[in-house]
Structure formats: structure tokens, C-alpha cells
Amino acid sequence: MVLKKGKVSCIVTTYERPIEILKKAIMSIVKQTYDNYEILIVNDSPKNIELSNKIKHLVKLIKNEYCIEITYLSYKKNMGAKCETKINQNV
């Protein structure tokens, strides 16, 4: 009998985080041996248009290079801790 591995949702919230640090956080997930996962990147500083565009670009690059399920999410305003709670209820 083969047991099916359950899907893990990795939620990475970011607020004004340098793109290099965000990339390290994402890559630490990608490099794991467990392969049944999805990554949700939650931008909690959507008013910073330049950073938002960099995050979207990074997500696209990683998604294409590693063929993984990675999603970019953003709210119209800073949501703080309640942002994660809202996502957890919808996952």
C-alpha cells in the first residue's frame, strides 16, 4: 500500500522585505525534499509599487524555473497579522 503525502501550504508573508531575503526564504522551501507543497507569497506592503513589481517578477521566475505551484497575493492595504489569519481560513 502506497501512502499519499498530504499537500503542505507554505505561507510567506512579507512587509518591506528586501527582495534578496524574500528569495532566500522561497528557495529554502523549494530546496526541501518534500515535494507536495504550494507556496503563497503575501505582500503586506502593496503601496510600494516598485517592490510589488519585483516580488511579482521573482515569483514568475521561480515558478517557471522550478515548475512549482507558487501564488502571489496582495491586499489593497497593510493587513498585519490578520492577513495570515484570513489566508489560513481560505486555504
mmCIF file of all heavy atoms in Angstrom, residues 53-81:
data_model
loop_
_atom_site.group_PDB
_atom_site.id
_atom_site.type_symbol
_atom_site.label_atom_id
_atom_site.label_comp_id
_atom_site.label_asym_id
_atom_site.label_seq_id
_atom_site.Cartn_x
_atom_site.Cartn_y
_atom_site.Cartn_z
ATOM 1 N N ASN A 53 6.260 45.010 -7.801
ATOM 2 C CA ASN A 53 6.641 44.535 -9.131
ATOM 3 C C ASN A 53 7.832 43.582 -9.067
ATOM 4 O O ASN A 53 7.882 42.587 -9.796
ATOM 5 C CB ASN A 53 6.950 45.708 -10.057
ATOM 6 C CG ASN A 53 5.693 46.456 -10.449
ATOM 7 O OD1 ASN A 53 4.595 45.906 -10.447
ATOM 8 N ND2 ASN A 53 5.841 47.727 -10.776
ATOM 9 N N LYS A 54 8.784 43.860 -8.182
ATOM 10 C CA LYS A 54 9.940 42.965 -8.016
ATOM 11 C C LYS A 54 9.496 41.607 -7.470
ATOM 12 O O LYS A 54 9.995 40.568 -7.905
ATOM 13 C CB LYS A 54 10.972 43.587 -7.077
ATOM 14 C CG LYS A 54 11.755 44.709 -7.701
ATOM 15 C CD LYS A 54 12.775 45.269 -6.714
ATOM 16 C CE LYS A 54 13.570 46.408 -7.315
ATOM 17 N NZ LYS A 54 14.569 46.947 -6.364
ATOM 18 N N ILE A 55 8.564 41.624 -6.533
ATOM 19 C CA ILE A 55 8.070 40.360 -5.968
ATOM 20 C C ILE A 55 7.342 39.556 -7.040
ATOM 21 O O ILE A 55 7.564 38.349 -7.179
ATOM 22 C CB ILE A 55 7.144 40.618 -4.757
ATOM 23 C CG1 ILE A 55 7.935 41.266 -3.624
ATOM 24 C CG2 ILE A 55 6.488 39.320 -4.289
ATOM 25 C CD1 ILE A 55 7.066 41.774 -2.480
ATOM 26 N N LYS A 56 6.483 40.206 -7.798
ATOM 27 C CA LYS A 56 5.759 39.517 -8.880
ATOM 28 C C LYS A 56 6.732 38.909 -9.880
ATOM 29 O O LYS A 56 6.546 37.770 -10.333
ATOM 30 C CB LYS A 56 4.826 40.492 -9.606
ATOM 31 C CG LYS A 56 3.630 40.914 -8.801
ATOM 32 C CD LYS A 56 2.820 41.945 -9.580
ATOM 33 C CE LYS A 56 1.802 42.633 -8.728
ATOM 34 N NZ LYS A 56 1.096 43.696 -9.449
ATOM 35 N N HIS A 57 7.769 39.650 -10.229
ATOM 36 C CA HIS A 57 8.771 39.159 -11.169
ATOM 37 C C HIS A 57 9.509 37.947 -10.588
ATOM 38 O O HIS A 57 9.722 36.939 -11.283
ATOM 39 C CB HIS A 57 9.753 40.278 -11.528
ATOM 40 C CG HIS A 57 10.797 39.880 -12.506
ATOM 41 N ND1 HIS A 57 10.510 39.635 -13.839
ATOM 42 C CD2 HIS A 57 12.120 39.667 -12.356
ATOM 43 C CE1 HIS A 57 11.621 39.291 -14.458
ATOM 44 N NE2 HIS A 57 12.615 39.296 -13.579
ATOM 45 N N LEU A 58 9.893 38.028 -9.324
ATOM 46 C CA LEU A 58 10.583 36.913 -8.658
ATOM 47 C C LEU A 58 9.705 35.668 -8.646
ATOM 48 O O LEU A 58 10.174 34.566 -8.962
ATOM 49 C CB LEU A 58 10.964 37.311 -7.226
ATOM 50 C CG LEU A 58 11.609 36.223 -6.381
ATOM 51 C CD1 LEU A 58 12.955 35.808 -6.967
ATOM 52 C CD2 LEU A 58 11.769 36.695 -4.940
ATOM 53 N N VAL A 59 8.436 35.824 -8.304
ATOM 54 C CA VAL A 59 7.501 34.700 -8.275
ATOM 55 C C VAL A 59 7.417 34.047 -9.659
ATOM 56 O O VAL A 59 7.479 32.823 -9.795
ATOM 57 C CB VAL A 59 6.104 35.152 -7.784
ATOM 58 C CG1 VAL A 59 5.038 34.106 -8.076
ATOM 59 C CG2 VAL A 59 6.158 35.484 -6.302
ATOM 60 N N LYS A 60 7.312 34.861 -10.693
ATOM 61 C CA LYS A 60 7.229 34.342 -12.061
ATOM 62 C C LYS A 60 8.499 33.569 -12.437
ATOM 63 O O LYS A 60 8.424 32.476 -13.009
ATOM 64 C CB LYS A 60 7.004 35.497 -13.034
ATOM 65 C CG LYS A 60 6.806 35.068 -14.464
ATOM 66 C CD LYS A 60 6.522 36.270 -15.356
ATOM 67 C CE LYS A 60 6.389 35.852 -16.795
ATOM 68 N NZ LYS A 60 6.142 37.004 -17.670
ATOM 69 N N LEU A 61 9.651 34.118 -12.109
ATOM 70 C CA LEU A 61 10.921 33.448 -12.429
ATOM 71 C C LEU A 61 11.032 32.090 -11.729
ATOM 72 O O LEU A 61 11.382 31.088 -12.359
ATOM 73 C CB LEU A 61 12.110 34.323 -12.023
ATOM 74 C CG LEU A 61 12.398 35.547 -12.870
ATOM 75 C CD1 LEU A 61 13.543 36.357 -12.265
ATOM 76 C CD2 LEU A 61 12.737 35.152 -14.297
ATOM 77 N N ILE A 62 10.740 32.066 -10.441
ATOM 78 C CA ILE A 62 10.862 30.817 -9.678
ATOM 79 C C ILE A 62 9.836 29.798 -10.157
ATOM 80 O O ILE A 62 10.139 28.615 -10.303
ATOM 81 C CB ILE A 62 10.747 31.088 -8.168
ATOM 82 C CG1 ILE A 62 11.977 31.885 -7.701
ATOM 83 C CG2 ILE A 62 10.612 29.790 -7.385
ATOM 84 C CD1 ILE A 62 11.915 32.357 -6.270
ATOM 85 N N LYS A 63 8.625 30.258 -10.409
ATOM 86 C CA LYS A 63 7.559 29.366 -10.895
ATOM 87 C C LYS A 63 7.976 28.697 -12.211
ATOM 88 O O LYS A 63 7.819 27.491 -12.380
ATOM 89 C CB LYS A 63 6.279 30.175 -11.094
ATOM 90 C CG LYS A 63 5.060 29.378 -11.443
ATOM 91 C CD LYS A 63 3.857 30.311 -11.531
ATOM 92 C CE LYS A 63 2.573 29.554 -11.437
ATOM 93 N NZ LYS A 63 1.412 30.440 -11.360
ATOM 94 N N ASN A 64 8.520 29.478 -13.121
ATOM 95 C CA ASN A 64 8.932 28.940 -14.415
ATOM 96 C C ASN A 64 10.171 28.053 -14.322
ATOM 97 O O ASN A 64 10.246 27.022 -14.972
ATOM 98 C CB ASN A 64 9.185 30.079 -15.407
ATOM 99 C CG ASN A 64 7.917 30.793 -15.803
ATOM 100 O OD1 ASN A 64 6.819 30.248 -15.701
ATOM 101 N ND2 ASN A 64 8.037 32.023 -16.238
ATOM 102 N N GLU A 65 11.134 28.455 -13.516
ATOM 103 C CA GLU A 65 12.382 27.700 -13.431
ATOM 104 C C GLU A 65 12.206 26.361 -12.717
ATOM 105 O O GLU A 65 12.794 25.362 -13.111
ATOM 106 C CB GLU A 65 13.449 28.519 -12.705
ATOM 107 C CG GLU A 65 14.801 27.826 -12.661
ATOM 108 C CD GLU A 65 15.901 28.699 -12.096
ATOM 109 O OE1 GLU A 65 15.727 29.933 -12.018
ATOM 110 O OE2 GLU A 65 16.936 28.135 -11.723
ATOM 111 N N TYR A 66 11.393 26.328 -11.671
ATOM 112 C CA TYR A 66 11.266 25.115 -10.867
ATOM 113 C C TYR A 66 9.951 24.377 -11.070
ATOM 114 O O TYR A 66 9.723 23.334 -10.446
ATOM 115 C CB TYR A 66 11.452 25.454 -9.381
ATOM 116 C CG TYR A 66 12.850 25.922 -9.092
ATOM 117 C CD1 TYR A 66 13.156 27.285 -9.074
ATOM 118 C CD2 TYR A 66 13.883 25.021 -8.867
ATOM 119 C CE1 TYR A 66 14.446 27.723 -8.826
ATOM 120 C CE2 TYR A 66 15.169 25.450 -8.622
ATOM 121 C CZ TYR A 66 15.443 26.803 -8.603
ATOM 122 O OH TYR A 66 16.722 27.238 -8.364
ATOM 123 N N CYS A 67 9.080 24.898 -11.913
ATOM 124 C CA CYS A 67 7.775 24.273 -12.201
ATOM 125 C C CYS A 67 7.035 23.913 -10.911
ATOM 126 O O CYS A 67 6.625 22.771 -10.708
ATOM 127 C CB CYS A 67 7.955 23.039 -13.076
ATOM 128 S SG CYS A 67 8.654 23.399 -14.685
ATOM 129 N N ILE A 68 6.895 24.897 -10.044
ATOM 130 C CA ILE A 68 6.216 24.676 -8.772
ATOM 131 C C ILE A 68 4.968 25.541 -8.697
ATOM 132 O O ILE A 68 4.807 26.494 -9.452
ATOM 133 C CB ILE A 68 7.138 24.983 -7.570
ATOM 134 C CG1 ILE A 68 7.614 26.441 -7.620
ATOM 135 C CG2 ILE A 68 8.297 24.022 -7.506
ATOM 136 C CD1 ILE A 68 8.331 26.890 -6.387
ATOM 137 N N GLU A 69 4.110 25.182 -7.760
ATOM 138 C CA GLU A 69 2.885 25.951 -7.531
ATOM 139 C C GLU A 69 3.212 27.079 -6.557
ATOM 140 O O GLU A 69 3.438 26.857 -5.374
ATOM 141 C CB GLU A 69 1.815 25.033 -6.953
ATOM 142 C CG GLU A 69 0.461 25.662 -6.863
ATOM 143 C CD GLU A 69 -0.602 24.700 -6.362
ATOM 144 O OE1 GLU A 69 -0.387 23.480 -6.393
ATOM 145 O OE2 GLU A 69 -1.649 25.204 -5.923
ATOM 146 N N ILE A 70 3.271 28.280 -7.081
ATOM 147 C CA ILE A 70 3.581 29.453 -6.256
ATOM 148 C C ILE A 70 2.630 30.580 -6.655
ATOM 149 O O ILE A 70 2.432 30.841 -7.834
ATOM 150 C CB ILE A 70 5.064 29.864 -6.382
ATOM 151 C CG1 ILE A 70 5.396 31.065 -5.494
ATOM 152 C CG2 ILE A 70 5.460 30.100 -7.807
ATOM 153 C CD1 ILE A 70 6.890 31.344 -5.376
ATOM 154 N N THR A 71 2.020 31.200 -5.666
ATOM 155 C CA THR A 71 0.993 32.202 -5.908
ATOM 156 C C THR A 71 1.349 33.501 -5.203
ATOM 157 O O THR A 71 1.787 33.490 -4.056
ATOM 158 C CB THR A 71 -0.375 31.702 -5.382
ATOM 159 O OG1 THR A 71 -0.672 30.452 -5.993
ATOM 160 C CG2 THR A 71 -1.479 32.687 -5.687
ATOM 161 N N TYR A 72 1.137 34.607 -5.890
ATOM 162 C CA TYR A 72 1.356 35.939 -5.324
ATOM 163 C C TYR A 72 0.009 36.491 -4.880
ATOM 164 O O TYR A 72 -0.948 36.511 -5.653
ATOM 165 C CB TYR A 72 1.986 36.859 -6.374
ATOM 166 C CG TYR A 72 2.056 38.306 -5.957
ATOM 167 C CD1 TYR A 72 3.111 38.766 -5.185
ATOM 168 C CD2 TYR A 72 1.069 39.212 -6.327
ATOM 169 C CE1 TYR A 72 3.190 40.099 -4.785
ATOM 170 C CE2 TYR A 72 1.125 40.542 -5.937
ATOM 171 C CZ TYR A 72 2.195 40.984 -5.166
ATOM 172 O OH TYR A 72 2.271 42.287 -4.774
ATOM 173 N N LEU A 73 -0.063 36.947 -3.635
ATOM 174 C CA LEU A 73 -1.277 37.558 -3.103
ATOM 175 C C LEU A 73 -0.946 38.933 -2.543
ATOM 176 O O LEU A 73 0.143 39.140 -2.000
ATOM 177 C CB LEU A 73 -1.869 36.709 -1.978
ATOM 178 C CG LEU A 73 -2.260 35.273 -2.320
ATOM 179 C CD1 LEU A 73 -2.609 34.514 -1.055
ATOM 180 C CD2 LEU A 73 -3.436 35.278 -3.271
ATOM 181 N N SER A 74 -1.881 39.844 -2.668
ATOM 182 C CA SER A 74 -1.683 41.182 -2.128
ATOM 183 C C SER A 74 -3.040 41.769 -1.786
ATOM 184 O O SER A 74 -4.032 41.507 -2.456
ATOM 185 C CB SER A 74 -0.985 42.062 -3.168
ATOM 186 O OG SER A 74 -0.758 43.345 -2.665
ATOM 187 N N TYR A 75 -3.069 42.541 -0.719
ATOM 188 C CA TYR A 75 -4.284 43.246 -0.338
ATOM 189 C C TYR A 75 -4.125 44.724 -0.669
ATOM 190 O O TYR A 75 -3.019 45.195 -0.916
ATOM 191 C CB TYR A 75 -4.573 43.050 1.156
ATOM 192 C CG TYR A 75 -4.918 41.616 1.487
ATOM 193 C CD1 TYR A 75 -3.969 40.755 2.014
ATOM 194 C CD2 TYR A 75 -6.184 41.122 1.241
ATOM 195 C CE1 TYR A 75 -4.283 39.433 2.288
ATOM 196 C CE2 TYR A 75 -6.506 39.809 1.512
ATOM 197 C CZ TYR A 75 -5.553 38.967 2.038
ATOM 198 O OH TYR A 75 -5.864 37.666 2.310
ATOM 199 N N LYS A 76 -5.209 45.466 -0.667
ATOM 200 C CA LYS A 76 -5.157 46.887 -1.023
ATOM 201 C C LYS A 76 -4.450 47.726 0.032
ATOM 202 O O LYS A 76 -3.981 48.811 -0.249
ATOM 203 C CB LYS A 76 -6.564 47.427 -1.262
ATOM 204 C CG LYS A 76 -7.198 46.850 -2.495
ATOM 205 C CD LYS A 76 -8.595 47.396 -2.711
ATOM 206 C CE LYS A 76 -9.198 46.765 -3.941
ATOM 207 N NZ LYS A 76 -10.568 47.188 -4.168
ATOM 208 N N LYS A 77 -4.406 47.202 1.259
ATOM 209 C CA LYS A 77 -3.730 47.937 2.327
ATOM 210 C C LYS A 77 -3.027 46.940 3.244
ATOM 211 O O LYS A 77 -3.280 45.741 3.197
ATOM 212 C CB LYS A 77 -4.711 48.783 3.124
ATOM 213 C CG LYS A 77 -5.765 47.982 3.863
ATOM 214 C CD LYS A 77 -6.671 48.884 4.657
ATOM 215 C CE LYS A 77 -7.640 48.038 5.491
ATOM 216 N NZ LYS A 77 -8.421 48.831 6.383
ATOM 217 N N ASN A 78 -2.163 47.448 4.093
ATOM 218 C CA ASN A 78 -1.443 46.623 5.047
ATOM 219 C C ASN A 78 -2.439 45.958 5.985
ATOM 220 O O ASN A 78 -3.279 46.607 6.578
ATOM 221 C CB ASN A 78 -0.459 47.510 5.824
ATOM 222 C CG ASN A 78 0.287 46.727 6.864
ATOM 223 O OD1 ASN A 78 -0.279 46.348 7.866
ATOM 224 N ND2 ASN A 78 1.550 46.499 6.630
ATOM 225 N N MET A 79 -2.331 44.626 6.116
ATOM 226 C CA MET A 79 -3.266 43.864 6.941
ATOM 227 C C MET A 79 -2.648 43.362 8.239
ATOM 228 O O MET A 79 -3.365 42.898 9.116
ATOM 229 C CB MET A 79 -3.801 42.667 6.152
ATOM 230 C CG MET A 79 -4.567 43.040 4.898
ATOM 231 S SD MET A 79 -6.150 43.757 5.251
ATOM 232 C CE MET A 79 -7.058 42.310 5.710
ATOM 233 N N GLY A 80 -1.338 43.380 8.363
ATOM 234 C CA GLY A 80 -0.691 42.902 9.581
ATOM 235 C C GLY A 80 -0.970 41.431 9.840
ATOM 236 O O GLY A 80 -1.155 40.650 8.920
ATOM 237 N N ALA A 81 -1.021 41.047 11.106
ATOM 238 C CA ALA A 81 -1.202 39.646 11.493
ATOM 239 C C ALA A 81 -2.532 39.070 11.017
ATOM 240 O O ALA A 81 -2.632 37.885 10.719
ATOM 241 C CB ALA A 81 -1.076 39.502 13.002
#
